[in-house]
Amino acid sequence: MEYIDLMPVVTGVIALVGALLTVFAVPYLKSVLSADKLERLSTWVRVFVQAAEQLFSGSGRGREKLEYVADMLRKKGYTIDVDDTTDAVRAMIEAAVLELNNG
């Protein structure tokens, strides 16, 4: 009775599965983790904007509020340039302020 050696087939299947995981699973996990980080940042921005509104009442104190939010975000490990209006984190802050004022 002759036996068929299936080891090359099994090795090929394992290699194929590994390649598919690398191509599809790794980018998916990276996108999920990035989305989670973005959601955490968004939550912190909303919390700090609300806190700034409570701490710095009165008109004309926008710069103080912005500096407070930026400082708190820096303490959480985020990078922000408050003078750069194209900064993505700065845009999130402005959106949170608008949402707070309209809500």
Side-chain angles (χ1 to χ4, degrees):
M1 181 174 238
E2 275 186 51
Y3 291 99
I4 300 174
D5 185 14
L6 294 178
M7 190 54 93
V9 173
V10 171
T11 304
V13 169
I14 291 172
L16 180 62
V17 169
L20 290 174
L21 282 175
T22 302
V23 171
F24 295 109
V26 172
Y28 171 75
L29 288 174
K30 284 183 180 180
S31 70
V32 170
L33 292 176
S34 296
D36 181 52
K37 287 180 182 179
L38 183 61
E39 182 60 34
R40 264 187 278 151
L41 172 61
S42 179
T43 300
W44 283 122
V45 166
R46 285 193 305 274
V47 167
F48 295 144
V49 164
Q50 290 173 357
E53 290 295 325
Q54 290 296 313
L55 292 170
F56 303 100
S57 60
S59 63
R61 300 188 75 184
R63 184 65 185 194
E64 285 177 276
K65 294 174 185 179
L66 178 60
E67 290 291 339
Y68 170 81
V69 173
D71 187 46
M72 295 302 289
L73 288 171
R74 284 186 198 107
K75 288 178 181 178
K76 289 290 181 187
Y78 297 101
T79 303
I80 177 173
D81 183 358
V82 294
D83 296 319
D84 182 5
T85 57
T86 63
D87 186 86
V89 179
R90 167 82 188 267
M92 289 180 78
I93 293 170
E94 297 298 335
V97 170
L98 182 65
E99 182 181 306
L100 184 65
N101 290 336
N102 291 336

